[in-house]
Amino acid sequence: MAQLYYEDVQEGSEIPTLEKLPTTRTLVMWAGASGDFFELHYDKDFANSMGFPKVLVHGRLEAAFLTQMLTDWIGDRGELRKLTVQYRGNAFPGDTLLCKGKVTKKYVEGGESLVECEIWVENPAGQRITPGSAVVALPTKGS
Amino acid sequence: MTEEKRPTLEEVKALIGKKKEETLQIDKSMIRLFCQCIGDTNPKWQNAAPPGLVTTAMISGGALAIEVPRLYKRSVAAGADWEFHKPIKPGDAITTTHEFAEIQDRSSEKGPRVLLIYKSTHRDQKGDVVAVSTNSIMSY
């Protein structure tokens, strides 16, 4: 995996899009792998009783997809420092989700080269259902 | 079907400050299952946990751990914030202190709703803070 350096990014730089297609199977795997057994994510009758047409993709699974987008981008020597998300919309199994982001700020603080990003998950309708932000620390060339 | 008995807002407010501590042993199979589920094939995670592991309910699911009774019929995750201080590795024992930190009344003309905020601090076996999480649940 290519290493990203602090010098490589500028405000406005885009993070490579990560595409995900969570299925019902993915949600069952996530329930087991993450310890979240809330019925809203695998029991359609329960989801209907809460007013949802189908079971929902876990918000935390979308957050995990965003962490992968960031760790893929920053490379082995980069470090994810902070992730913030708001769950504004729902995703359903079978939706192709696009994890996207772009750099909003870069600065050096406490001897570290930090990059702030705007990040989001986009649903098939192009809506930003899970917007948020992230801070990553990147190595500098020659370091 | 019998209607589930709901607590009052005051009863739930009385639970603010409630804490629960739990310890989770991190092993390679746990990391592998996580990576298989999200489709992350980065070989780096053969010997380290991806930061995303902290997003899982088993580590930062304070709402599940503390079991604050549901005020209203619907309950969904509203947002979350994770700070990653130190990478987690297989073999680490992560002790998390969850706290039911705050409740905000967000009622409107659409009806009653509250935001429940949980804070979790995650430490490794050396006592070092590896991550800090904040999660909020909207109940309406």
Side-chain angles (χ1 to χ4, degrees), chain A residues 53-72:
Chain A
K54 299 178 188 176
V55 298
L56 303 187
V57 173
H58 302 74
R60 285 170 186 267
L61 175 56
E62 293 177 43
F65 288 153
L66 288 168
T67 63
Q68 187 196 343
M69 172 190 75
L70 291 160
T71 54
D72 281 356

Side-chain angles (χ1 to χ4, degrees), chain A residues 1 20 26 29-30 33-34 36 38 49-50 60-61 63 65 67-68 71 76 80-87, chain B residues 34 37-40 42 44 51-52 55-58 60-61 73-75 77-84 135 140:
Chain A
M1 205 164 282
K20 293 290 180 183
T26 316
M29 287 174 72
W30 179 257
S34 76
D36 183 346
F38 189 26
S49 78
M50 286 184 72
R60 285 170 186 267
L61 175 56
F65 288 153
T67 63
Q68 187 196 343
T71 54
D76 284 357
L80 175 58
R81 290 295 165 79
K82 189 170 179 181
L83 182 83
T84 301
V85 293
Q86 295 103 42
Y87 306 119
Chain B
F34 173 86
C37 176
I38 68 168
D40 188 344
N42 189 334
K44 183 178 181 181
T55 69
T56 62
M58 64 183 174
S60 58
K73 185 178 176 185
R74 297 180 183 82
S75 196
D81 183 299
W82 293 277
E83 290 173 26
F84 309 95
N135 286 275
Y140 59 102

